[in-house]
């Protein structure tokens, strides 16, 4: 099914989404994107449905053809302080605030959001597989976050973040059990199954 360009009738409708919410390490990253009415792309879809190769291919296309885009990381310490839901929403708000054009309407992937200023918004479950601007935001959030995780992988290669990107894979959890936690791990998350005690 082809993705839809607009939910509202406003010219400056912004789509926003985040990546990394379920990770054990690294930031949660949000993107906000305003696309022109004329935007079309047959490949673009929810970033989770795309291969890494396709996401990397789409990133410069989205950045070149969009009206505006912005990104925001919220890091581990703040996630631990305000919780992952609030951190995700804060990342989206911050990305929206950096857009070159103030959006007239905001569409959000998922079902949780807080009003941003006085701009009307709509939460859309599986919005990243329904609306182009949310899909574009999901691709940018994912590619920028992946690049960050690959960078910090060099500092702690034993956790293999270049491959797992901080998600709770068996190998990632085995590395936490063996080596302990790093400054990039989210201490408020259950990093290991309960049978293992972790000294944080």
């Amino acid at each position: 099914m082809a993705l839809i360009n607009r939910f509202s009738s406003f010219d400056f409708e912004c789509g926003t989404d985040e990546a990394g919410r379920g990770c054990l390490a690294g930031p949660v990253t949000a993107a906000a994107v305003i696309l022109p009415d004329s935007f079309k792309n047959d490949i673009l879809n929810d970033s989770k449905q795309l291969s890494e190769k396709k996401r990397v291919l789409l990133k410069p296309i989205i950045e070149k053809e969009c009206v505006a885009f912005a990104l925001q990381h919220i890091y581990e310490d703040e996630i631990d302080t305000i919780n992952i839901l609030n951190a995700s929403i804060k990342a989206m708000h911050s990305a929206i605030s950096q857009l070159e054009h103030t959006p007239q309407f905001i569409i959000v992937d998922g079902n949780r959001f807080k009003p941003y200023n006085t701009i009307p918004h709509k939460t859309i479950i599986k919005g990243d597989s329904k609306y182009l601007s949310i899909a574009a935001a999901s691709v940018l959030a994912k590619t920028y976050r992946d690049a960050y995780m690959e960078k910090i992988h060099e500092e702690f290669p034993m956790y293999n973040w270049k491959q797992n990107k901080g998600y709770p894979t068996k190998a990632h959890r085995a590395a936490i059990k063996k080596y302990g936690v790093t400054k990039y791990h989210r201490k408020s998350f259950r990093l290991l199954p309960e049978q293992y005690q972790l000294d944080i």
Side-chain angles (χ1 to χ4, degrees), residues 101-162:
H101 297 275
T102 302
Q104 298 161 297
F105 197 89
I106 299 164
I107 52 175
V108 185
D109 182 54
N111 62 355
R112 305 293 292 275
F113 194 66
K114 295 173 185 172
Y116 176 75
N117 293 343
T118 57
I119 301 170
H121 73 269
K122 173 69 176 174
T123 55
I124 302 167
I125 292 170
K126 297 194 184 299
D128 49 6
S129 59
K130 296 175 183 173
Y131 290 91
L132 285 166
S133 62
I134 300 179
S138 80
V139 167
L140 293 188
K142 175 72 174 152
T143 52
Y144 275 91
R145 187 184 183 281
D146 283 359
Y148 175 87
M149 295 307 294
E150 287 162 16
K151 182 177 154 193
I152 64 171
H153 166 87
E154 303 302 324
E155 203 175 335
F156 294 100
M158 64 283 274
Y159 299 93
N160 202 18
W161 290 329
K162 71 177 179 184

Side-chain angles (χ1 to χ4, degrees), residues 161-181:
W161 290 329
K162 71 177 179 184
Q163 185 174 351
N164 63 51
K165 305 302 191 285
Y167 281 92
T169 61
K170 282 185 179 176
H172 189 185
R173 284 199 152 122
I176 294 170
K177 186 168 181 280
K178 183 174 181 180
Y179 300 107
V181 297

